[in-house]
Amino acid sequence: MSTSLSTSGSAPGHPTADAGPLALCAREPRVPAERLVAEMVPPPRFDSVRFDTYEPDPAQPSQTEAVSVLSGFAAGLGGAHATGSGKRRWFSKAPKAAPAGPRGVYLDGGYGVGKTHLLASLWHATPAEPALKAFGTFVELTNLVGALGFQQTVQTLGGHRLLCIDEFELDDPGDTVLVSSLLSRLVEQGVALAATSNTLPGKLGEGRFAAADFLREIQGLSAHFRPLRIDGQDYRHRGLPDAPAPFSDEQVAKAAYATPGASLDDFPGLLDHLAKVHPSRYGALTDGIAAVCLTDVGPVPDQSTALRLVVLADRLYDREVPVLASGVPFDRLFSEEMLNGGYRKKYFRAISRLTALARDAKPLVSQ
């Protein structure tokens, strides 16, 4: 289940891998389908989170309510699935009626209110062995279907007690139909669902496409979930100082050479490289990286590039990889048009996460 990771050298401008930091641009990971399945668990940042480690904002009662509702939801997922006993009853190939009412919960709220923390806590709290639970982002779920095929994915996940989907997004009509069909099949097999998103289920796709056929798919998909609204401000910056200003190219390069396992890339070059690597491999792209150092950070040129950067930011945040950068601040990565468009919540999430990682990277620069 190893990942093939071909490289072509160290950081740009340096002759050998031993002479300096690694370069993300030199990596071309190949991820086997088995790894995609094995990694359907909460990412490293959320290994140890639990409901009792979530800190609700006292000014936002919906956060406390969410903990209570999800705790009860997890407790209700025990039984035959949880122990593996009673498989014949639960997983019989004979057709059975779908459970009455919503078969899942849907956590809706802005970026930084702790939705992923709560979703991972639900995964941990569900009384079932890890092999009977799956956790992944929406992108990772669609990538799994691409790697295994639809029927094999249904067979692989159909025996699960719970499927958690983080950052539920419908960025194109094809994914809408694909995921709607997949979840419908899983619900029929008794799989409980939980998802997070920045948009209510009935509003998914709004501002991106408006074809009547796909709106109908969205409405059908929303019926699988009980919406649970979570209000609040971004916890990543609640009561914390402002993010550090970008450093100079010299400071970033010096820190990269002084930090074992760090990477060093020119930001425009990295954006070009991301276009050559499938987003499903961005996690593997950062394997073994202790810190990401970027020079010449500037506004992204177009929406396709911006969306790829969002996925990379998510994978770096999941893996708690600090990001040290020179150039413009991260809140100037995306244009006003992007921040006011249909993907605005993705971009604000990326800014929030990169800002947190920039704060983590500040100690790498010697004063």
Side-chain angles (χ1 to χ4, degrees):
M1 194 163 53
S2 62
T3 299
S4 172
L5 189 65
S6 62
T7 61
S8 58
S10 59
H14 301 282
T16 68
D18 293 335
L22 304 166
L24 295 181
C25 289
R27 294 183 154 203
E28 299 176 3
R30 299 289 183 268
V31 182
E34 308 88 76
R35 171 170 170 169
L36 296 178
V37 176
E39 290 187 343
M40 293 289 283
V41 297
R45 178 178 288 271
F46 300 98
D47 275 345
S48 60
V49 301
R50 299 294 187 272
F51 287 129
D52 59 7
T53 65
Y54 181 76
E55 298 181 7
D57 184 344
Q60 303 293 343
S62 62
Q63 295 185 9
T64 301
E65 180 186 7
V67 172
S68 176
V69 171
L70 292 173
S71 297
F73 185 75
L77 295 179
H81 272 131
T83 62
S85 63
K87 280 189 175 181
R88 181 170 186 146
R89 179 183 63 180
W90 281 102
F91 301 135
S92 169
K93 295 184 181 297
K96 56 181 179 290
R103 184 59 179 161
V105 291
Y106 193 108
L107 309 184
D108 174 73
Y111 56 91
V113 297
K115 299 187 304 296
T116 303
H117 183 136
L118 290 171
L119 189 69
S121 297
L122 172 63
W123 188 93
H124 289 298
T126 296
E129 59 187 83
L132 294 179
K133 302 181 285 188
F135 184 108
T137 65
F138 180 84
V139 172
E140 288 168 336
L141 182 61
T142 57
N143 290 338
L144 183 66
V145 178
L148 299 183
F150 184 85
Q151 294 299 335
Q152 184 61 39
T153 302
V154 172
Q155 182 176 346
T156 299
L157 299 179
H160 282 54
R161 191 70 182 105
L162 173 70
L163 170 62
C164 295
I165 310 167
D166 198 22
E167 299 299 346
F168 206 114
E169 300 285 354
L170 297 178
D171 294 335
D172 64 66
D175 283 348
T176 308
V177 177
L178 176 70
V179 175
S180 179
S181 300
L182 175 64
L183 297 187
S184 295
R185 290 283 298 276
L186 294 179
V187 168
E188 289 173 359
Q189 297 194 35
V191 180
L193 307 173
T196 74
S197 179
N198 296 325
T199 310
L200 285 168
K203 299 294 185 180
L204 286 172
E206 192 174 83
R208 303 177 192 177
F209 53 86
D213 288 345
F214 300 115
L215 290 176
R216 184 164 57 250
E217 287 290 338
I218 290 169
Q219 292 300 324
L221 184 59
S222 69
H224 293 314
F225 298 95
R226 168 191 172 181
L228 186 61
R229 178 73 185 178
I230 305 176
D231 299 305
Q233 297 179 335
D234 187 348
Y235 79 91
R236 284 183 281 270
H237 311 301
R238 190 191 304 164
L240 293 176
D242 292 336
F247 295 97
S248 67
D249 288 351
E250 182 180 2
Q251 287 174 305
V252 171
K254 183 178 179 181
Y257 276 81
T259 305
S263 65
L264 177 61
D265 292 89
D266 171 77
F267 186 68
L270 178 60
L271 294 183
D272 290 341
H273 186 62
L274 291 180
K276 304 171 187 175
V277 179
H278 193 276
S280 65
R281 301 172 185 169
Y282 287 4
L285 187 69
T286 65
D287 280 353
I289 298 294
V292 167
C293 299
L294 302 171
T295 59
D296 197 23
V297 171
V300 294
D302 57 74
Q303 192 135 259
S304 295
T305 302
L307 291 172
R308 287 192 288 268
L309 182 59
V310 167
V311 177
L312 179 63
D314 286 342
R315 300 292 79 78
L316 292 173
Y317 183 78
D318 287 345
R319 288 159 174 76
E320 301 182 283
V321 180
V323 178
L324 190 71
S326 67
V328 304
F330 288 133
D331 61 3
R332 289 170 53 191
L333 285 173
F334 308 109
S335 68
E336 286 299 318
E337 181 180 3
M338 292 178 184
L339 294 178
N340 290 319
Y343 299 101
R344 60 190 177 276
K345 291 179 180 177
K346 279 190 171 187
Y347 299 143
F348 280 116
R349 182 180 80 237
I351 291 170
S352 171
R353 290 183 166 185
L354 288 172
T355 297
L357 295 177
R359 190 180 293 116
D360 293 342
K362 189 176 180 180
L364 299 179
V365 178
S366 58
Q367 302 300 324

